[in-house]
Amino acid sequence: MYTQAIDTDPTSRNSPTSHASVAEDVFLARIAQDEKIEPQDWMPEAYRKTLVRQISQHAHSEVVGMLPEGGWITRAPSLRRKEILLAKVQDEGGHGLYLYSAAETLGVSREQLIDALHSGKAKYSSIFNYETKTWADIGTIGWLVDGAAIMNQVPLCRCSYGPYARAMIRICKEESFHQRQGFDIVRALCEGTPEQKAMAQESLNRWWWPTLMMFGPHDSDSTHTGQASAYGIKRISNDDLRQKFVDVTVAQAEFLGLSIPDPALRWNAERGHYDFGKIDWDEFWRVVNGQGPCNEARMHDRISAFEEGRWVRDAASAHAAKRAARAVARAGALEAA
Ligand code: FAQ
């Protein structure tokens, strides 16, 4: 905010009298007072960039996240489960739309965002690169993955950027329903035959560690936490959210009669939290960097769906253009009359 640099250019960022400096001070004061920043407000370029990166990665995660569960819609074990899963997968698509729209308010186009995903430039959550091998995985995704998503996203309802915060409020309401439906699938399996319970345990064994990785690297290795926290985007750090998730999930696993696959997991009365084992960060970075079990298949399916839907987008645009042209012609005719 204040500088002792010898700088006589009044438009320079380092000058105490520069417009940008004053604007940034006002902006930071608004953040400190917990005011919402809206699209028409002045914002530092770094704030805009951080938001575009995070919101678009979040949007991509929702849309790619439809794929692991989407493959089970035709294989759901009953009509009721099929209807619920269909609605859940549609909800995730809707979340992607809210989030792409929120990102577009920052001056980036939908086409640019989607190109970045398809060309491999933009990231999406590591968790969606794992295989859904059994019906129990659909329960585990709802219970753990949606559970982790809520843990991470509830604080985002209070983030400083208005359109993102408002999108998150709607999304969190739906995610909490998703988490309950997942828990209900796992509960039904745990109360079923020994084979069904074993299926639930086997699924938990595969998804536990990747779910903990969803929260991102340790705070000490997180490149964006400092800046994102200063801007009021990130309210709780990666490690603190991960700890909160472990603390609430252990009791849920106990209720279900399932064991969390971590021999180091134990209650630490001094800290008032569970201690847990080491996360395999090599696996995390492999998956983030494209070498997970399903990265290739996910991008292939996503790009094919986009191409196969091109005619629908073209037809909708042609229809909208026709209606607009007709409206202009009608207005012209009225004016002439
Ligand atoms: N996967 O400096 P940080 C869902 C990257 S939605 C891949 O700590 P940041 C709903 C990170 O981007 C799930 N990459 O980063 C659903 C950065 O790389 P960059 C998605 C990851 O942003 C449920 C680098 O590592 N949720 O599940 C991951 O401060 C069921 C350094 O990391 C959101 O997107 C990861 N797990 O913190 C749908 C929530 N973690 O960009 C269908 C919003 C980190 O420099 C079915 N996002 N990276 O190239 C956030 O809260 C944050 O972006 C974090 C990461 C916490 C994910």
Side-chain angles (χ1 to χ4, degrees), residues 53-54 57-58 61-62 65 69 88 92 123-126 128 141 145-146 149 152-153 156 164 175 213-217 222-225 234 238 284-285 288:
R53 180 189 66 80
Q54 178 166 324
Q57 288 182 1
H58 192 168
S61 304
E62 299 281 357
E69 287 169 287
K88 180 195 191 281
E92 308 297 1
K123 293 191 168 71
Y124 58 89
S125 182
S126 48
F128 302 117
I141 288 179
V145 175
D146 284 278
N152 164 274
Q153 291 173 17
L156 290 173
Y164 192 25
E175 297 290 23
M213 294 173 196
M214 274 179 80
F215 294 94
S222 164
T223 35
H224 302 292
T225 294
K234 213 176 214 182
N238 299 359
F284 171 74
W285 289 115
V288 169

Side-chain angles (χ1 to χ4, degrees), residues 92-106:
E92 308 297 1
H95 298 173
L97 289 181
Y98 304 156
L99 290 165
Y100 283 128
S101 302
E104 283 174 294
T105 64
L106 292 155

Side-chain angles (χ1 to χ4, degrees), residues 145-291:
V145 175
D146 284 278
I150 299 167
M151 194 59 84
N152 164 274
Q153 291 173 17
V154 166
L156 290 173
C157 298
R158 291 187 293 113
C159 87
S160 59
Y161 189 56
Y164 192 25
R166 289 189 289 274
M168 290 319 308
I169 292 171
R170 290 180 71 162
I171 291 175
C172 284
K173 285 189 180 156
E174 292 179 351
E175 297 290 23
S176 69
F177 179 74
H178 296 169
Q179 194 269 351
R180 283 185 212 180
Q181 69 83 38
F183 187 82
D184 189 62
I185 292 175
V186 181
R187 185 196 49 74
L189 292 173
C190 291
E191 288 171 2
T193 62
E195 289 79 6
Q196 286 172 318
K197 185 157 184 190
M199 194 196 278
Q201 181 64 57
E202 190 274 334
S203 175
L204 173 59
N205 294 348
R206 278 183 290 112
W207 288 88
W208 176 252
W209 292 103
T211 303
L212 295 193
M213 294 173 196
M214 274 179 80
F215 294 94
H218 280 316
D219 294 349
S220 51
D221 298 321
S222 164
T223 35
H224 302 292
T225 294
Q227 182 70 90
S229 307
Y231 281 152
I233 299 167
K234 213 176 214 182
R235 299 283 182 178
I236 306 183
S237 77
N238 299 359
D239 283 332
D240 288 351
L241 284 172
R242 190 169 11 247
Q243 180 72 63
K244 267 163 88 91
F245 174 80
V246 172
D247 289 347
V248 302
T249 310
V250 171
Q252 295 169 3
E254 278 167 5
F255 176 86
L256 292 164
L258 295 175
S259 345
I260 289 182
D262 178 0
L265 185 79
R266 63 182 56 85
W267 178 250
N268 181 327
E270 220 170 279
R271 292 199 311 122
H273 292 291
Y274 281 94
D275 289 337
F276 54 94
K278 271 198 173 144
I279 292 173
D280 182 350
W281 292 112
D282 290 341
E283 173 180 329
F284 171 74
W285 289 115
R286 259 198 319 277
V287 175
V288 169
N289 292 322
Q291 273 100 55

